[in-house]
């Protein structure tokens, strides 16, 4: 954290909880909107945080979503505990998904989650191992 | 235009009554949530066959004007409850997505 840092919003995301999926992203969006952040940036962050949140719900056994607000940027960090991603390059390919059929029937698992997150970010970092996955996304203001 | 008038014009069933003004500036048709997230924009009407609660989260995050559920799909009670809470109108019809999209086009939404 630098002196540029303003505020952190943190949320626990529960695995397989499709009822509450999206709540953290809604809260992040609401906070940024009320702070007067540019609508186009709020939309990008809403898309990124929603995809991150849904990935935790579908693919992990639980995790956290953080939104760090700085004077000049917003950083979304998603950390989860779970099996991790076997092949990150494949996971970054549009249309590639390992989501189960039961989840696809609900409209999830289009294989667009990680590609969307990267597309709407200014900087995208992903690390994954056998214990979980961490994604750090930066959007400059 | 009020939701009731919008429903009447398009022959849609309004699943709960709200006094909200409809401001529809575009239309997106889709059932895969990640693609809708990336493509639909503020004040768009979203036509879909998805009915579970997460469609409300998507509509809320994107500031969509409404959700139109087609092909007579049954909308879950928890979806309606959430939509009421966030005041996002949900309409239902037995017509196809194509038919509803054509009717929206005829209304002048392009």
């Amino acid at each position: 954290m630098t002196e540029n840092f303003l505020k952190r919003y943190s949320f626990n995301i529960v695995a397989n909880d499709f009822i509450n999926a999206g709540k953290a992203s809604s809260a992040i969006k609401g906070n940024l909107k009320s702070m007067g952040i540019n609508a186009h940036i709020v939309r990008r962050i809403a898309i990124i945080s929603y995809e991150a949140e849904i990935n935790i719900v579908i693919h992990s056994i639980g995790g956290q979503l953080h939104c760090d607000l700085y004077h000049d940027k917003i950083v979304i960090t998603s950390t989860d505990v779970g099996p991790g991603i076997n092949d990150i390059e494949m996971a970054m390919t549009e249309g590639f998904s390992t989501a189960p059929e039961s989840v696809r029937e609900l409209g999830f698992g289009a294989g667009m989650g990680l590609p969307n997150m990267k597309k709407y970010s200014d900087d995208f970092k992903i690390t994954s191992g056998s214990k979980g996955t961490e994604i750090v996304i930066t959007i400059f203001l | 235009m009020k939701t009731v008038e919008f429903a009447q014009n398009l022959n849609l069933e309004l699943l709960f009554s709200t006094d909200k003004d409809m401001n529809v500036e575009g239309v997106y048709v889709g059932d895969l949530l990640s693609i809708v997230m990336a493509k639909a924009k503020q004040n768009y009407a979203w036509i879909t066959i998805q009915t579970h609660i997460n469609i409300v989260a998507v509509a809320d995050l994107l500031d969509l004007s409404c959700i139109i559920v087609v092909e007579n799909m049954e909308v879950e009670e928890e979806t309606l409850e959430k939509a009421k809470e966030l005041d996002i109108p949900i309409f239902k019809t037995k017509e196809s997505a194509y038919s509803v999209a054509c009717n929206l086009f005829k209304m002048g939404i392009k």
Side-chain angles (χ1 to χ4, degrees):
Chain A
M1 307 275 172
T2 67
E3 58 192 43
N4 211 359
F5 175 74
L6 294 172
K7 199 165 189 173
R8 164 168 270 203
Y9 301 103
S10 293
F11 304 87
N12 276 323
I13 312 296
V14 179
N16 289 314
D17 182 3
F18 289 97
I19 302 288
N20 289 305
K23 268 193 178 170
S25 307
S26 264
I28 289 171
K29 178 198 156 199
N31 282 317
L32 297 179
K33 211 172 165 183
S34 66
M35 290 169 116
I37 304 281
N38 171 287
H40 180 63
I41 293 201
V42 173
R43 173 183 155 81
R44 287 169 60 197
I45 289 170
I47 294 169
I48 289 164
S49 58
Y50 178 78
E51 296 291 5
E53 193 175 350
I54 292 297
N55 274 350
I56 296 175
V57 171
I58 295 175
H59 296 287
S60 81
I61 56 171
Q64 278 92 41
L65 191 64
H66 306 285
C67 173
D68 294 317
L69 188 60
Y70 295 79
H71 277 295
D72 57 348
K73 65 184 178 184
I74 292 169
V75 179
I76 302 284
T77 307
S78 155
T79 56
D80 72 46
V81 178
I85 300 168
N86 270 338
D87 185 336
I88 290 180
E89 202 179 321
M90 278 299 284
M92 292 306 299
T93 309
E94 289 188 5
F96 176 82
S97 174
T98 57
E101 189 56 37
S102 58
V103 165
R104 290 183 199 227
E105 280 172 9
L106 301 176
F108 299 107
M112 293 301 292
L114 291 172
N116 270 354
M117 288 160 77
K118 190 175 181 186
K119 181 179 171 189
Y120 289 99
S121 64
D122 290 318
D123 186 63
F124 177 92
K125 288 192 179 72
I126 180 165
T127 48
S128 191
S130 59
K131 289 178 180 164
T133 300
E134 181 177 82
I135 303 169
V136 182
I137 285 168
T138 305
I139 294 104
F140 294 108
L141 296 174
Chain B
M1 189 185 296
K2 293 290 179 191
T3 49
V4 177
E5 200 186 337
F6 184 82
Q8 280 169 354
N9 287 352
L10 286 161
N11 199 21
L12 305 173
E13 182 187 345
L14 179 55
L15 294 184
F16 65 93
S17 102
T18 155
D19 200 35
K20 195 174 182 176
D21 273 313
M22 299 287 297
N23 177 21
V24 182
E25 294 173 356
V27 180
Y28 194 77
V29 185
D31 305 316
L32 292 174
L33 305 188
S34 281
I35 296 177
V36 176
M37 276 305 289
K39 300 283 183 171
K41 299 201 169 86
Q42 187 174 11
N43 294 326
Y44 272 34
W46 174 22
I47 303 173
T48 186
I49 56 163
Q50 295 294 352
T51 59
H52 64 100
I53 189 168
N54 224 260
I55 61 173
V56 183
V58 169
D60 179 48
L61 282 165
L62 295 174
D63 291 321
L64 302 183
S65 69
C66 67
I67 302 168
I68 303 171
V69 176
V70 294
E71 304 289 3
N72 214 20
M73 303 300 275
E74 205 56 51
V75 179
E76 283 94 334
E77 193 52 44
E78 61 197 14
T79 305
L80 287 180
E81 288 303 318
K82 190 70 186 169
K84 275 184 211 168
E85 182 192 322
L86 297 173
D87 202 22
I88 297 168
I90 299 191
F91 303 91
K92 181 182 161 174
T93 177
K94 59 179 191 308
E95 289 184 43
S96 69
Y98 175 71
S99 170
V100 174
C102 287
N103 289 336
L104 283 160
F105 185 83
K106 283 179 203 156
M107 270 176 75
I109 299 160
K110 291 168 185 173

